[in-house]
Amino acid sequence: MASAVTTTSRGQGRSRGPVGWIWALPPVVVLAVILLYPLALVVQQSVTPDEGGTSLTPYADVFASESFRSALGTTVWLAVGSTVGCLVLGFALALVIAFVPFPGGKAVAKFIDVFLSFPSFLITLALLFIYGTVGMANGVWTDATGASEGPFHFLTTPWGVLLAEITYFTPFVMRPLLAAFSQLDTAQLEVASSLGARPARIVRKVILPEALPALAAGGSLVLVMCLNEFGIVLFTGAKDVTTLPMLVYGKAILESDYPAACVVAVVNIALSVGLYTLYRTVSRRVGA
């Protein structure tokens, strides 16, 4: 009887094999057509100079250019600066929402979920309405002082881009933090408070260790998205701020230099994939 059952189960396993492959084939084909094929074309174009053939000359030319090195440095420092700002601001705001009772706290937490669906250019336009050259802040200043123009012109600088990215991406850090805080055992906080621990010590010794996996997840996500952000830089009008996505746009659309644009795109993809791999490695070690 046992041998018959074993034989039957093996037969069923063999019969399920081809069926499983048949069901898996359509999504694999769709993924290959939508993602892998265009990516392969970009890589192919990056090693195809305008004069034809296959060569690494486009890579050598791009890596030797000052515009690429400047764009790479700008992209990295904006991404790192925005991530640090989002982590600090997101952690502080999440602490207030989760542990400080105030009217409308639940509504604010719900709004965080809605905010995640907003396009990045919408936040940039809002900042332009407030701090732009003809925005509300400059308008109030000129009306009050009679000056010909206001003092707020930072939105067209790297600091304006940094402010816009921190404003937009902070909720991406807050969301996993709020989820982690909702699972925190409040008894630990009560015990620490009853033993005389100050709020700062409770945050450092009790809350922060529990929040580290959520901070790692949110920070890694923000870092990858900032590396690939295009809309915020474009809509702030920061002409002197050139990131890797902006360089791809300039090379492809404005200069029609497609091999160079593809080289920059490949570098951007490699950075994103490398950071994602690092994120997965760190998250496994911290238990995220």
Side-chain angles (χ1 to χ4, degrees):
M1 177 66 71
S3 61
V5 172
T6 304
T7 304
T8 303
S9 62
R10 288 177 180 174
Q12 290 176 349
R14 293 194 193 99
S15 64
R16 289 196 191 108
V19 176
W21 276 106
I22 292 174
W23 282 106
L25 190 59
V28 170
V29 171
V30 171
L31 179 64
V33 172
I34 295 178
L35 179 62
L36 298 181
Y37 179 66
L39 180 59
L41 289 180
V42 170
V43 175
Q44 179 185 9
Q45 185 66 44
S46 69
V47 294
T48 306
D50 291 332
E51 57 271 14
T54 300
S55 173
L56 294 178
T57 301
Y59 281 87
D61 294 340
V62 169
F63 290 166
S65 65
E66 178 62 29
S67 61
F68 170 77
R69 293 195 295 268
S70 176
L72 179 61
T74 301
T75 302
V76 171
W77 91 257
L78 278 176
V80 173
S82 299
T83 302
V84 172
C86 290
L87 288 174
V88 174
L89 182 60
F91 184 70
L93 293 177
L95 278 177
V96 173
I97 294 174
F99 299 110
V100 180
F102 64 93
K106 292 184 178 180
V108 173
K110 294 290 184 183
F111 177 74
I112 297 300
D113 294 334
V114 178
F115 189 92
L116 299 179
S117 64
F118 288 178
S120 59
F121 71 85
L122 184 63
I123 305 303
T124 308
L125 285 178
L127 291 175
L128 286 173
F129 288 143
I130 299 174
Y131 299 110
T133 304
V134 293
M136 294 170 54
N138 283 323
V140 171
W141 179 272
T142 54
D143 291 342
T145 63
S148 58
E149 61 180 17
F152 302 104
H153 303 286
F154 64 89
L155 277 184
T156 57
T157 68
W159 299 108
V161 176
L162 190 68
L163 173 64
E165 290 190 349
I166 291 175
T167 303
Y168 178 69
F169 289 115
T170 293
F172 289 85
V173 173
M174 295 176 62
R175 188 64 192 88
L177 279 175
L178 290 174
F181 290 161
S182 66
Q183 299 177 0
L184 184 64
D185 187 5
T186 56
Q188 300 180 44
L189 307 181
E190 296 172 358
V191 170
S193 179
S194 64
L195 292 176
R198 295 181 178 274
R201 184 176 178 83
I202 294 175
V203 170
R204 188 174 66 254
K205 296 294 185 179
V206 180
I207 298 178
L208 184 57
E210 296 293 333
L212 284 179
L215 282 172
S220 300
L221 177 63
V222 169
L223 183 61
V224 172
M225 290 193 297
C226 288
L227 281 174
N228 299 285
E229 181 55 40
F230 175 76
I232 288 178
V233 183
L234 181 65
F235 275 84
T236 53
K239 297 180 180 179
D240 296 331
V241 180
T242 302
T243 59
L244 290 180
M246 289 294 295
L247 188 61
V248 173
Y249 173 80
K251 292 291 185 182
I253 305 301
L254 303 180
E255 301 178 20
S256 298
D257 189 354
Y258 297 109
C262 290
V263 169
V264 179
V266 169
V267 172
N268 207 358
I269 293 170
L271 282 175
S272 300
V273 173
L275 284 174
Y276 177 76
T277 303
L278 178 62
Y279 154 66
R280 294 299 302 172
T281 302
V282 172
S283 64
R284 281 196 299 266
R285 291 187 177 181
V286 300

